[in-house]
């Protein structure tokens, strides 16, 4: 703080002026509502008259919403199958055992399953991973958004955030970083086993599975999207774990290179170690026929992605969708619970208020 | 010896007129620099200073940590942006401060002074003056440096200075040059003066100087008497020359103005403790997470390496855990938000401005607004438990006014009809051209009596004009200025002057007066001087006719004993009058005369001379001689002088004590005066159970008296409690025994406890009333010292007061007595310490600070209060009276004592409330924010991944949540200002520190952690399975971050909305604005535009949009908000419903009133009835105590001064407490006598200083007090003000008191009386018109209305407070406002 001595004080500036000092400028503070702290104000109080109704209202709003959500969620059909191949009995057991990143021969396994209900409308196919820490700090930051956005300089010289997946054999990796390097590369195919024995492959849409902004803004191939990607990516190398370079991810030029949607989906890291990612969309055929009628199906997996080393799990999920998204029983239950608790609290508080409460009905300040 | 600086000087050598010689020593020049920086040094120095703050260094450390890539869990800007913001705000503030210091430095440095250079006087700037220069000073100039006085224009090298700037004393002091130099009159001689001064190095002792002057091979000793210090002003001296000894920073003024002791509030200290705890907590969290990291890396991470290898330097899980610890320290550091300190400062600054802006604390008479001189203590104003007040100039105006008198059995000066609108001030001018127009008297009868020529009346005033030690100064014909040693003497002489007995002049042997227009010269035969034991003074004069008469005035107790027996009848009437006066708190003197025959005079004169010449026991002999002649006197009458209280003092004290604040008066004044003031400001009342007076001179006797007082208290309170607690006495005995005091250890028997009002004890059943009871309620907590006696004393009921003398206090403050004194004093409702030195004042304050852990406030106006102002937690200076020392040392200053109630009860209370709410919320919001990372740690491999976007982390504290809480911290009000003055009990939570303490802190923290749990796990549970309506899963990191952040912002906004009790426009703007800014900024940061520019910085492109378009996300946010808020709401409602605080009730009542606006006929009194204790049975129990109102603020020795004639030459400074170098006998005696008193010059002169001239309002204290008490129990609570809009209080006042609405502003002085009386009439309890005259009336009204005091308190305080506390100026000011 300042020294207490202020040279100005030496003047004896406190003028003890009598009432006669008329010429003196009045130091009287301004009489404004702000300065006098008299601003008009709303002064809410938690009275029984406001709080109790609030509880009831919250209850009355939350319970129906909860019921609605619960019913909606229950109407959503979801099917999940774990194909990690942990058990000996699992068809994928062999594939999971004999895994090597460098094996050239893909290992395929076939898993039959049965849908007891028909799946109407669009059906969404997910892959799920467990115990996979996509949200690890070092993992999350191990990417170069400049490179993914098509910046030519970053393509040749990836950010050091990508270490140790920035360069391989002195060639820049495209796409660099641990996220890209660990991209999920199983191939899942779905077949409907017609009751008459035929195996019908179900068409899977591989576009429309990523965020619009990701596809159109965040991810861009260098030098535009339509050129010869092979040339564009000349001088870079594929990520260590990848089997194919990035420009061979898909045949469709709109879905190749950095804007390959499988890649984009993978690059959108999950918040939690157990997550699912949208893999394919099964478009509905018509409003009359269910997209996936009930019956026997076969899932064919090209087993490329090893998870057993870190006790991870792989799943395939089929789900329908409502206005509020996929199956989500928690939300409905939570709403119903909170609503009931509020209602119940309202009742309890009402009782307490009536029995013991300081009924401030009179303006009496007494206690 | 000639070491170069900086090593401290051991001795200073200065040779006059020899700059070259002096430059060898490199003494500081006279240029002062209080500024800290210049343009170049500002940045480095200021940054260096700022980084001395632990908090700033800590954040700098974090910043450095973040630069390590393996640790960095946040981007660098998340720390640097807030840090830079905080640093720059502080820097701007420092720069502004320094700019003003530069300006004032420049102004001072560039003042002109006249320096003697080469034989001629030249004008030089102050800053160019060097040590060793001789400078010339002229009258009324400031002394530029510490000078050795060489010569002056006055005889004997005398000169007079005023030291108000240095020590606050306004009286003049004399300085004299060394005899050899005083002959060097003119500049030519001085130019050749080449003496050398060797003296002590610079120091800060204002009253000490020692050095030697070597000149012409002779040595002359120099003392402080030869020095003129910088800061003094030369007065009454045409010119003088001085040799500069110390210049600039070496001057005593500058040496005294070191850095002020930095005061911290208890909230500050608590905050620092809590911050340390939080650091500890942070480290714990870090360790937990690091351990988690170690486990994870070992169990999972090592396996996961195929996808995520360790960063190069990390090769094992332990190292990884170590790094993870630091990473977590970084991301969790927001639990100790960097913005906390700066926000607290901002809030305090805001509160300080509100104090400065408060119109109700503006004194229009002296044009001074209240000033918060420090901005760091505001909330402590809401926690004050002890007020230490100076008396003179603080409680009183130090103006004595001749108020009433009794002449020959007839009392004058009463205003007979209290309902008469405005008593008319008598106009003396037509009758007496010499009258002083400022004199106020209202009773015409007295003037009539003078005019008629009543002999007694004439003799009465003749006495007043003759029997005194006043000096007069008549600058021009009829323009008399009296220099009185004590203001009450001045008042008496002035009264005589107005009534036609004008004291004109005196010589050592004569007194010249103008009696009824006729000039008369009396020869003054003797002055029988006043002293403390005699308590009277007399003069013996010979009238022109040759008649010798002795005039005597003195304390009634001593004077009435010495009357001629024939006065019996008159004496009883007069003593009745004296009783009345004393009960009104007036200072009384009885007057008497005695005719002496020539023989008697001769005989006595002889014995007097003999006594005077005696060498041993001179004083005793003199006293005996005086005693001999002061016998068989004829009573003339009595005078009553009002030691004018400042406006509204009794009301303020009443309100403050209702607020459970203990007020101690510490005064340098005499016991009688102090007690008198105690009565007139209602600290002491006749209804008090007992007033203990401690005046022992030895340790033993003081101990004895204190113990006796305590025993008495316990005893009395037991009789009052009807023996309810039987075991108590035994306990008490045991305690005292245990304390090691032997029963029956009789001291030297000076015990004078129970000096007054033993009778009051009889009325045991009543007493206390609300005040005592209310006090008792808080006592348990207030006096937490576990020592048995104080515990016992906590349960004391009844009102006690303690008066302790300075010399007793000295013993009581000794280490082994401290506790004893404290336990006694704290059990008393009022404590008055008189005759205390400035040091003792500070000691008392320190004592309370040390043992009570209570917040203390010291208020005073003079230099003698500086020590106590500095040592108290809060120092308040009364500005504009006695210099500015007190103000300079203070933390707050204003010009009227009554503003204290507003400062404490309104501003202090609000500040405390706001600060507490602010802190609670602040910790809450940061815990809610930060702890989410902790929970997330368990799901992200303890990798210190943040939950939120880095921009959100950066902006959360400085943008998204800062303003609403600042607005709350600055503007919140739980109850309006009038209410907090009406219900002083509202102040209690602050004293008990209920609103923010460790418990509250843990509640906030718990709430914050709960919120963080909800904020993490609700989105976790919902989003882990949820998908967008397009089927894309919502469980990606960015969606999760946006959802959590949005929920957080909404939850804390709802929470602040709940916490804010006072929604002004600004609050609305800030709350909604913050929410708005959150969404705006988020959308901006997630926009494509920004991403296209910096793709690497804005990873979150599109997240806001795609997340917030999902209904599920909103449902999640709503769910989280409900789960966070509903329990809080329920909890708060329950608390409010089941255990409402007084403030809640008041607030609620206010609401109901606003809604209904119709009377409900209930009494607020009920609020306190429960705690108010017993209040019945006091009716008419006027204690029979006969208090002597005698108070003579005199020092002895001045009679001798006059008769010796020594002071005649010094005319105008006759009364300064100087001890010049004259060694004549009277000075010696004077000194000796002074030495017998434990009275420091500082305090004495403080009280004797000339009265301030600006106060014009006159408030008879009793009418005020009757207005305090004249309330009615049935007063309806609404009291109009409520319904009326707050700014319209004047109308409310008028309607409630039924005062004629238009108070003529001209009658300002008398207005309070009228309105007060009118109010008592209006409220219709006491049908007896209490004109403030009869003590019986006072007691009666107290008895009847005791209970109603509390019910009615509201009105008084409202009238006094709502429309600027204190009636007189109120009416005027408010009406002007409208």
């Amino acid at each position: 703080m300042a020294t207490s001595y202020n040279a100005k004080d030496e003047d004896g500036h406190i003028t003890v002026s009598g009432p006669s000092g008329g010429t003196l400028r009045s130091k009287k503070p301004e009489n404004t509502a702000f300065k006098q702290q008299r601003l008009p104000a709303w002064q809410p109080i938690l009275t029984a008259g406001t709080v109790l109704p609030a509880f009831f209202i919250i209850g009355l709003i939350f319970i129906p919403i909860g019921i609605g959500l619960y019913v909606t969620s229950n109407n959503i059909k979801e099917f999940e199958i774990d194909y990690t191949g942990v058990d000996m009995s699992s068809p994928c057991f062999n594939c999971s055992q004999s895994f090597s990143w460098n094996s050239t021969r893909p290992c395929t396994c076939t898993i039959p399953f049965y849908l007891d209900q028909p799946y109407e409308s669009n059906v969404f196919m997910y892959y799920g991973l467990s115990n996979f820490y996509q949200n690890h700090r070092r993992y999350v930051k191990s990417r170069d958004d400049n490179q993914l956005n098509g910046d030519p300089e970053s393509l040749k010289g990836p950010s050091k955030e990508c270490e140790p997946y920035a360069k391989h054999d002195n060639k820049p990796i495209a796409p660099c970083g641990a996220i890209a390097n660990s991209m999920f590369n199983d191939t899942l195919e779905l077949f409907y086993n017609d009751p008459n024995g035929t195996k019908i492959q179900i068409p899977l849409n591989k576009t429309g599975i990523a965020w619009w902004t990701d596809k159109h803004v965040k991810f861009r191939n260098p030098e535009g999207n339509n050129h010869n990607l092979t040339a564009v990516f000349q001088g870079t190398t594929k990520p260590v774990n990848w089997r194919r370079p990035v420009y061979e991810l898909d045949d469709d030029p709109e879905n190749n290179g950095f804007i390959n949607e499988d890649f984009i989906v993978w690059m959108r890291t999950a918040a939690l170690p157990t997550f699912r990612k949208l893999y394919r969309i099964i478009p509905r055929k018509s409003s009359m026929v269910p997209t996936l009628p009930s019956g026997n199906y076969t899932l064919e997996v090209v087993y490329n992605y090893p998870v057993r080393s870190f006790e991870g799990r792989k799943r395939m999920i089929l789900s329908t969708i409502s206005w509020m998204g996929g199956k989500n029983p928690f939300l409905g239950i939570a709403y119903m619970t909170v609503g009931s608790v509020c209602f119940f609290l309202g009742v309890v508080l009402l009782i307490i208020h009536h029995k013991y409460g300081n009924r401030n009905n009179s303006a009496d300040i007494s206690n | 010896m000639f070491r170069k600086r900086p090593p401290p000087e051991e001795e200073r050598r200065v040779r006059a007129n020899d700059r070259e010689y002096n430059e060898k020593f490199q003494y500081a020049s006279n240029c002062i620099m209080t500024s800290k920086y210049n343009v170049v040094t500002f940045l480095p120095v200021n940054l260096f200073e700022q980084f001395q703050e632990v908090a700033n260094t800590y954040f700098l450390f974090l910043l450095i940590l973040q630069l390590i890539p393996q640790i960095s869990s946040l981007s660098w800007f998340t720390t640097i942006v807030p840090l830079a913001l905080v640093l720059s705000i502080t820097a701007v503030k420092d720069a502004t401060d320094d700019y003003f210091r530069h300006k004032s430095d420049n102004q001072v440095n560039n003042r002109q002074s006249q320096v003697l250079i080469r034989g001629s006087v030249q004008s030089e700037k102050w800053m160019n003056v060097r040590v060793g220069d001789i400078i010339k000073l002229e009258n009324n100039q400031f002394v530029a440096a510490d000078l050795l006085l060489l010569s002056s224009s006055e005889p004997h090298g005398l000169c007079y200075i005023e030291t108000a700037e240095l020590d606050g004393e306004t009286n003049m002091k004399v300085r004299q040059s060394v005899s050899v130099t005083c002959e060097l009159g003119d500049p030519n001689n001085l130019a050749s003066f080449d003496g050398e001064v060797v003296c002590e190095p610079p120091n800060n002792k204002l009253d000490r100087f020692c050095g030697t002057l070597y000149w012409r091979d002779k040595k002359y000793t120099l003392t402080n008497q030869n020095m003129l210090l910088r800061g003094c002003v030369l007065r009454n001296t045409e010119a003088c020359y001085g040799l500069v000894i110390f210049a600039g920073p070496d001057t005593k003024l500058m040496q005294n103005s070191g850095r002020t002791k930095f005061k911290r509030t208890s909230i500050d200290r608590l905050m620092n403790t809590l911050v340390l705890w939080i650091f500890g907590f942070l480290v714990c969290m870090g360790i937990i997470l690091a351990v988690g990291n170690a486990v994870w890396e070992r169990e999972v991470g090592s396996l996961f390496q195929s996808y995520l290898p360790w960063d190069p330097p990390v090769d094992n899980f332990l190292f990884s855990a170590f790094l993870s610890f630091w990473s977590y320290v970084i991301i969790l550091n927001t639990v100790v938000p960097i913005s906390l300190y700066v926000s607290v400062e901002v809030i305090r600054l805001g509160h300080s401005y509100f104090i400065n802006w408060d119109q109700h604390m503006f004194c229009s008479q002296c044009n001074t607004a209240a000033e918060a001189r420090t901005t760091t203590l505001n909330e402590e104003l809401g926690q004050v438990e002890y007020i230490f007040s100076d008396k003179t100039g603080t409680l009183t105006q130090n103006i004595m006014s001749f108020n009433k008198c009794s002449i020959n059995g007839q009392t004058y000066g009463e205003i007979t009809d209290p309902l008469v609108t405005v008593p008319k001030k008598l106009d003396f001018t037509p009758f007496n051209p010499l009258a002083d127009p400022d004199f106020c008297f209202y009773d015409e009868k007295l003037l009539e009596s003078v005019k008629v020529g009543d002999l007694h009346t004439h003799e009465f005033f003749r006495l007043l004009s003759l029997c005194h030690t006043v000096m007069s100064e008549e600058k021009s014909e009829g323009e008399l200025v009296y220099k009185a040693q004590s203001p009450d003497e001045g008042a008496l002489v002035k009264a005589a002057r107005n009534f036609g007995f004008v004291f004109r002049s005196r010589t050592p042997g004569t007194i010249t007066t103008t009696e009824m227009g006729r000039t008369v010269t009396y020869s003054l035969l003797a002055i029988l001087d006043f002293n403390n034991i005699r308590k009277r003074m007399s003069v013996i004069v010979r009238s022109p006719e040759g008649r010798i008469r002795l005039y005597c005035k003195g304390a009634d107790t001593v004077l009435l004993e010495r009357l001629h027996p024939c006065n019996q009848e008159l004496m009883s009437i007069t003593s009745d009058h004296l009783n009345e006066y004393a009960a009104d708190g007036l200072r009384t003197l009885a007057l008497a005369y005695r005719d002496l025959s020539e023989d008697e005079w001769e005989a006595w004169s002889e014995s007097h001379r003999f006594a005077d010449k005696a060498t041993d026991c001179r004083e005793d002999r003199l006293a005996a001689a005086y005693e001999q002649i002061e016998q068989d006197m004829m009573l003339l009458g009595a005078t009553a002088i009002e030691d004018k209280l400042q406006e509204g003092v009794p009301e303020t004290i009443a309100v403050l004590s209702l607020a459970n604040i203990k007020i101690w008066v510490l005064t340098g004044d005499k016991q009688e005066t102090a007690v008198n003031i105690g009565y007139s400001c209602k600290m002491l009342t006749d209804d008090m159970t007992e007033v203990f007076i401690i005046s022992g001179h030895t340790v033993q006797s003081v101990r004895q008296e204190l113990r006796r007082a305590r025993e008495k208290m316990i005893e009395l309170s037991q009789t009052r409690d009807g023996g309810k607690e039987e075991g108590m006495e035994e306990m008490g005995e045991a305690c005292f025994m245990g304390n090691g005091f032997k029963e029956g250890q009789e001291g030297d028997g000076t015990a004078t406890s129970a000096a007054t009002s033993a009778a009051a004890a009889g009325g045991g059943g009543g007493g206390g009333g609300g005040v005592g009871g209310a006090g008792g309620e808080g006592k348990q907590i207030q006096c937490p010292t576990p020592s048995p006696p104080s515990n016992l004393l906590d349960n004391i009921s009844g009102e006690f007061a303690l008066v302790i003398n300075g010399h007793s206090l000295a013993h009581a403050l000794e280490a082994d007595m401290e506790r004893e004194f404290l336990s006694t004093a704290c059990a008393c409702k009022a404590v008055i310490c008189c005759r205390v030195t400035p040091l003792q004042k500070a000691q008392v304050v320190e004592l309370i600070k040390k043992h009570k852990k209570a917040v203390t406030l010291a208020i005073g106006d003079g230099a003698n209060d500086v020590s106590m102002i500095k040592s108290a937690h809060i120092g308040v200076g009364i500005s504009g009276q006695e210099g500015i020392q007190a103000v300079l040392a203070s933390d707050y200053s204003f010009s009227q004592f009554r503003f204290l109630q507003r400062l404490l009860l309104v501003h202090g209370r609000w500040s405390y409330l706001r600060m507490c709410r602010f802190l609670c919320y602040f910790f809450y919001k940061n815990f809610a924010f930060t702890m989410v990372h902790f929970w997330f740690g368990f799901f992200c491999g303890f990798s210190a991944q943040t939950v939120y976007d880095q921009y959100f982390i950066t902006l959360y504290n400085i943008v998204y949540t800062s303003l609403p809480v600042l607005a709350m911290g600055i503007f919140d009000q739980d109850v309006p200002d009038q209410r907090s003055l009406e219900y002083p009990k509202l102040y209690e939570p602050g004293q008990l520190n209920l609103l923010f303490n460790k418990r509250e802190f843990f509640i906030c923290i718990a709430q914050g952690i709960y919120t963080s749990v909800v904020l993490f796990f609700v989105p976790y549970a919902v989003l882990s399975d949820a998908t967008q309506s397009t089927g894309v899963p919502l469980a990606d990191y960015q969606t999760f971050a946006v959802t959590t952040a949005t929920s957080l912002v909404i939850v804390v906004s709802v929470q602040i909305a709940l916490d804010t009790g006072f929604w002004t426009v600004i609050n609305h703007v800030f709350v909604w604005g913050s929410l708005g800014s959150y969404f705006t900024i988020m959308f901006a940061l997630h926009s494509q535009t920004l991403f296209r520019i910096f793709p690497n910085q804005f990873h979150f492109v599109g997240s806001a949009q795609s997340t917030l378009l999902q209904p599920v996300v909103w449902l999640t946010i709503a769910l989280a908000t409900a789960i966070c808020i509903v329990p809080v709401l329920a909890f708060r409602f329950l608390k409010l419903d089941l255990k409402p605080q007084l403030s809640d009730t008041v607030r609620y009542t206010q609401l109901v009133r606003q809604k209904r606006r119709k009377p409900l006929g209930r009494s607020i009194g009920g609020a306190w009835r429960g705690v108010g204790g017993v209040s019945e049975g006091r009716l008419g129990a006027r204690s029979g105590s006969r208090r002597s109102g005698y108070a003579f603020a005199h020092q002895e020795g001045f009679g001798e001064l006059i008769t010796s004639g020594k002071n005649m030459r010094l005319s105008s400074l006759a009364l300064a407490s100087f001890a010049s170098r004259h060694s004549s006998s009277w000075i010696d005696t004077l000194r000796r006598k002074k030495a017998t008193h434990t009275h420091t010059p500082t305090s004495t002169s403080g009280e004797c200083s000339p009265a301030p001239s600006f106060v014009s309002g006159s408030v008879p204290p009793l009418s005020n007090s009757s207005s305090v008490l004249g309330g009615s129990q049935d007063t309806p609570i609404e009291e109009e003000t409520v319904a009326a809009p707050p700014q319209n209080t004047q109308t409310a006042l008028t309607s409630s008191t039924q005062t004629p609405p238009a108070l003529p502003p001209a009658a300002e002085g008398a207005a309070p009386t009228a309105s007060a009386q009118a109010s008592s009439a209006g409220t219709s309890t006491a049908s007896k018109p209490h004109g403030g005259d009869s003590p019986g009336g006072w007691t009666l009204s107290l008895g009847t209305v005791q209970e109603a005091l509390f019910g009615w308190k509201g009105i008084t305080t409202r009238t006094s407070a709502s429309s600027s506390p204190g009636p007189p100026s109120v009416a005027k000011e408010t009406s002007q406002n409208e």
Side-chain angles (χ1 to χ4, degrees), chain B residues 81 93 202 312 357 421 433 529 595 613 667 849 876 1004 1034 1083 1134 1209 1263 1290 1373:
Chain B
V81 170
K93 187 176 147 259
W357 285 334
T421 49
D529 200 7
D595 281 319
K613 282 186 182 128
T667 174
K849 269 171 81 178
V876 178
C1004 300
L1034 280 169
F1083 274 100
L1134 275 182
R1209 196 183 42 176
S1263 6
Q1290 176 57 23
E1373 277 173 31

Side-chain angles (χ1 to χ4, degrees), chain A residues 330-341:
Chain A
F330 173 81
L331 202 55
I333 293 170
Y335 261 84
M336 286 192 286
T337 316
V338 171
S340 331
V341 166

